[in-house]
Amino acid sequence: MLTHALYIQLAGSAAAVAVLVGITAWANIARSAPPLDEDRARKLLADEFPGRTLDGLWVAVDGMGAIAKCGGMALVLCRLGDGYVARQVPWGQALAASLKDGRVIINLDDVAAPRAVIALAKWPPKGPASNNLGKDRAA
Amino acid sequence: MKPGFDPVTLATPFFILTVLLEIALARLNLIKSRYETKDTAVSLTMGLVSTLAGLPLAAVIAAVGLWAYQHRLVTIPADAWWAWVAVFLLEDVTYYGFHRLSHERRFWWASHVNHHSSQHYNLGTALRQTWTGQVAGTWLLWVPLMWLGFPPWMVAIEKGISLVYQYWVHTEAIRRLPKPIEAVFNTPSHHRVHHARNPRYLDRNYAGILIIWDRMFGTFQAELDEEPCRYGLVHNLGTFNVLRVAFHEWIGIVRDTVRQPRHVLGWLFGPPGWSPDGSRDTSASLKAQWAAGQSAPPTSTDQEAAA
């Protein structure tokens, strides 16, 4: 049962959490996370999916994510905090994502990473993806 | 069961002050440490709620411990120095077993995964504790110590000491300690490896206080300067929602089991990443892929780069 002392302890801890989060925000000591360019997107994708060959790459206009075609799969990279999260989904699933207000929202079908939001000038790419490399790339 | 003397409760002000200190020193560029605001909020919230999450089953766990002690094999005197040495060693090897189980079988990984879900490694990460550990039942692993004859309060104190010890190793601010210490104790360097997602570092260094168990049971991996640790999960979380952080693997188990109920045992007790068709990544498959890449003959591109 919750005792009076426990309530006090919890209230104190909650206040400490709030103060620490505030100080973290003020300290501004997150990792440097410059917008992605093609080279950095390729490096991150190579770390996440070693040995994969990319048929096409589309980097977000704001540098906060990227989509790559790799055979029948889409490799999706999106920013979270000062890091990146990667998932792969069937290419058709990525193609089915619609572009609204300059953002493609891809359903990742994963409770741990429900969706990726990638800012692109246009989507889906036209023609064979391998021919679009460097053309549809929006960055 | 919480004894009157609870090391974790006593250490809580120390936790808060040292997180503050790490942030301040990092802000002044005196140490290497990174804190991201939302990530820190998730870690600290997980820690705060975890203190409540243990309450519903606390009475059951205490009762089981007392029952085991009432049926003990021998009576171990708590005022004997050797009893404290013995409980320290036995508790620490029990922790090793618990921790290894928590990484190598999905049911227990579902509870432990959130501790590894930050892409950062700092003292705040240490406080990113599970909400479902008691439901997962791993507390049963400590019951044999009480059945053996250690008073439940003695085991509880030792568990608390172990938890407090493990707090300070969650930092990048301390590189390496003197070799004799690195040889015997779990250190920041050893535990960085444990939190790394690099394939060669996966499922290594399960130690609580003593690293000797990893050396004895073949799970030790030294931190290598040529391979910096990349922290987090093999598939990192794409959200800062604490409910998803706390429960995503449990939900994944339920979804998989509903989808393919005849594989329920594999979904529950296979290694994390197990699937009937082998289409997902396990630590073993990732390590094998990595090892194959290491032993593959250099490609022409590699040779050109080397030249």
Side-chain angles (χ1 to χ4, degrees):
Chain A
M1 289 301 101
L2 295 179
T3 63
H4 188 64
L6 184 59
Y7 279 126
I8 293 171
Q9 186 185 327
L10 280 175
S13 297
V17 166
V19 169
L20 285 173
V21 171
I23 289 173
T24 304
W26 166 81
N28 193 24
I29 51 171
R31 292 188 195 104
S32 159
L36 288 181
D37 57 17
E38 182 178 340
D39 288 344
R40 180 151 162 73
R42 284 183 178 279
K43 183 180 181 311
L44 286 171
L45 287 166
D47 284 343
E48 297 289 338
F49 306 100
R52 302 286 191 92
T53 303
L54 306 187
D55 303 322
L57 175 66
W58 296 266
V59 180
V61 290
D62 57 3
M64 302 276 275
I67 305 171
K69 185 176 188 303
C70 174
M73 303 300 286
L75 312 182
V76 182
L77 201 59
C78 56
R79 174 103 164 253
L80 181 80
D82 56 358
Y84 284 89
V85 176
R87 289 293 189 278
Q88 59 177 332
V89 294
W91 178 244
Q93 193 168 318
L95 279 185
S98 55
L99 179 68
K100 284 182 185 168
D101 302 325
R103 301 186 313 163
V104 177
I105 300 174
I106 300 173
N107 174 19
L108 298 178
D109 194 26
D110 184 339
V111 68
R115 60 184 196 157
V117 180
I118 314 285
L120 290 173
K122 56 180 179 176
W123 189 262
K126 302 260 184 332
S130 56
N131 293 336
N132 290 332
L133 185 59
K135 295 179 185 174
D136 276 358
R137 193 179 65 239
Chain B
M1 152 182 304
K2 279 200 169 190
F5 170 76
D6 177 21
V8 177
T9 302
L10 288 175
T12 299
F14 165 78
F15 295 157
I16 295 166
L17 289 174
T18 47
V19 169
L20 267 176
L21 183 66
E22 190 176 46
I23 292 170
L25 293 177
R27 180 74 179 83
L28 296 169
N29 286 322
L30 296 176
I31 60 169
K32 178 192 172 190
S33 190
R34 295 288 173 198
Y35 278 78
E36 200 278 336
T37 306
K38 288 182 180 174
D39 177 86
T40 304
V42 169
S43 293
L44 300 182
T45 304
M46 292 296 296
L48 176 63
V49 177
S50 75
T51 61
L52 287 176
L55 294 178
L57 278 180
V60 173
I61 294 169
V64 171
L66 282 171
W67 181 86
Y69 186 65
Q70 283 166 356
H71 296 82
R72 62 189 175 276
L73 294 178
V74 295
T75 297
I76 297 173
D79 56 355
W81 66 268
W82 59 263
W84 286 97
V85 174
V87 77
F88 166 70
L89 292 172
L90 289 171
E91 195 285 327
D92 205 45
V93 75
T94 302
Y95 180 86
Y96 172 89
F98 146 77
H99 200 185
R100 189 165 178 176
L101 182 70
S102 297
H103 277 262
E104 297 185 359
R105 298 294 134 191
R106 192 183 184 193
F107 182 79
W108 294 287
W109 174 243
S111 165
H112 186 60
V113 59
N114 57 65
H115 178 62
H116 287 268
S117 61
S118 173
Q119 295 192 41
H120 284 268
Y121 189 76
N122 52 44
L123 292 175
T125 310
L127 304 176
R128 188 179 281 229
Q129 293 289 321
T130 181
W131 295 358
T132 56
Q134 297 197 342
V135 176
T138 44
W139 51 271
L140 284 164
L141 295 171
W142 280 265
V143 172
L145 297 185
M146 295 165 238
W147 179 64
L148 191 61
F150 291 103
W153 62 266
M154 200 173 175
V155 176
I157 286 176
E158 195 53 51
K159 280 184 76 173
I161 289 171
S162 177
L163 198 62
V164 172
Y165 177 89
Q166 290 172 58
Y167 167 76
W168 76 277
V169 299
H170 290 83
T171 183
E172 291 188 286
I174 298 170
R175 290 304 300 162
R176 301 278 205 288
L177 293 170
K179 280 186 178 175
I181 295 174
E182 295 282 350
V184 176
F185 291 97
N186 189 17
T187 62
S189 175
H190 298 327
H191 206 61
R192 280 194 290 273
V193 165
H194 178 70
H195 273 257
R197 57 196 289 262
N198 317 42
R200 79 188 306 165
Y201 290 153
L202 291 175
D203 287 355
R204 289 291 178 264
N205 299 1
Y206 296 117
I209 296 178
L210 299 175
I211 198 71
I212 58 172
W213 312 117
D214 285 289
R215 295 184 189 277
M216 284 169 62
F217 300 128
T219 51
F220 176 72
Q221 169 65 54
E223 183 182 30
L224 304 170
D225 290 335
E226 65 269 26
E227 182 149 357
C229 295
R230 292 184 288 119
Y231 302 110
L233 303 172
V234 167
H235 300 296
N236 274 317
L237 300 189
T239 174
F240 287 122
N241 180 326
V242 287
L243 294 176
R244 287 186 186 271
V245 173
F247 299 113
H248 70 274
E249 192 68 25
W250 291 110
I251 295 169
I253 290 175
V254 171
R255 280 186 176 178
D256 288 336
T257 304
V258 167
R259 202 178 296 143
Q260 291 180 298
R262 70 192 180 95
H263 293 295
V264 61
L265 290 178
W267 292 127
L268 278 172
F269 302 116
W274 178 89
S275 56
D277 60 359
S279 60
R280 301 184 188 176
D281 294 321
T282 63
S283 288
S285 68
L286 289 166
K287 279 175 174 289
Q289 288 168 24
W290 170 80
Q294 294 293 300
S295 60
T299 63
S300 57
T301 311
D302 293 333
Q303 288 166 344
E304 285 163 17

